[in-house]
Amino acid sequence: MTYARQARDVRPEPQPLSVVAHRGASEEAPEHTLAAYRRAIEDGADALECDVRLTADGHLVCVHDRRVNRTSNGRGAVSALELSDLAALDFGSWKGQAADHEAPDRDATAVLTLERLLELVADADRRVELAIETKHPTRWAGQVEER
């Protein structure tokens, strides 16, 4: 005798998709700037992704590349520059959005510290996840993660 039984569906329940803004809304604003992360939150991103590096004077900043050459009007390795050096750079003009040094919100395209990004996420009117990728040269070993 042969018995037939109904096949059991073994597929997992579909999970809702999450939108993760890689380096902020980097299509709309210069990557890793306050402007890019603000835009991502406004656009409804579920999570933000950032890359964090340690400056020569021990500050955590959101910069993807080892050097600032591609994304600012400066030159040099993030780990060899102090926060004040990075703060003097324009991280917006390469994207066609030059920082207006007279504007009250000049920091929208300035170097972004991890502390400021955390404040932005904490001030959001809804839950926003944050994925932090640590980047560091050998000279800083595990100091990025410690901070």
Side-chain angles (χ1 to χ4, degrees):
M1 238 188 204
T2 305
Y3 294 96
R5 59 187 154 141
Q6 187 174 3
R8 198 176 72 163
D9 189 1
V10 293
R11 290 177 289 171
E13 289 292 317
Q15 298 297 315
L17 293 178
S18 292
V19 175
V20 180
H22 185 247
R23 303 179 198 170
S26 54
E27 180 66 26
E28 304 297 322
E31 68 183 57
H32 280 114
T33 61
L34 191 60
Y37 288 109
R38 278 184 184 153
R39 179 66 184 262
I41 292 171
E42 290 168 5
D43 288 350
D46 300 302
L48 309 175
E49 180 274 346
C50 68
D51 302 290
V52 176
R53 294 183 176 276
L54 193 61
T55 64
D57 55 344
H59 293 274
L60 293 172
V61 293
C62 300
V63 179
H64 177 268
D65 301 353
R66 185 177 78 80
R67 302 177 63 78
V68 298
N69 304 26
R70 178 179 67 87
T71 58
S72 80
N73 62 343
R75 300 188 64 73
V78 174
S79 63
L81 298 168
E82 293 188 355
L83 182 59
S84 61
D85 299 324
L86 292 168
L89 300 178
D90 174 358
F91 281 82
S93 61
W94 69 274
K95 183 83 171 166
Q97 298 175 5
D100 180 356
H101 295 280
E102 306 305 318
D105 196 15
R106 183 252 187 263
D107 69 342
T109 55
V111 69
L112 180 62
T113 63
L114 179 59
E115 181 178 3
R116 181 64 185 100
L117 179 57
L118 291 171
E119 290 170 358
L120 179 70
V121 170
D123 291 343
D125 59 359
R126 61 186 173 80
R127 181 182 175 92
V128 178
E129 303 271 332
L130 183 59
I132 300 171
E133 182 178 340
T134 57
K135 307 252 186 196
H136 49 79
T138 306
R139 81 173 84 164
W140 295 132
Q143 292 180 39
V144 175
E145 290 80 6
E146 280 182 33
R147 291 205 190 256

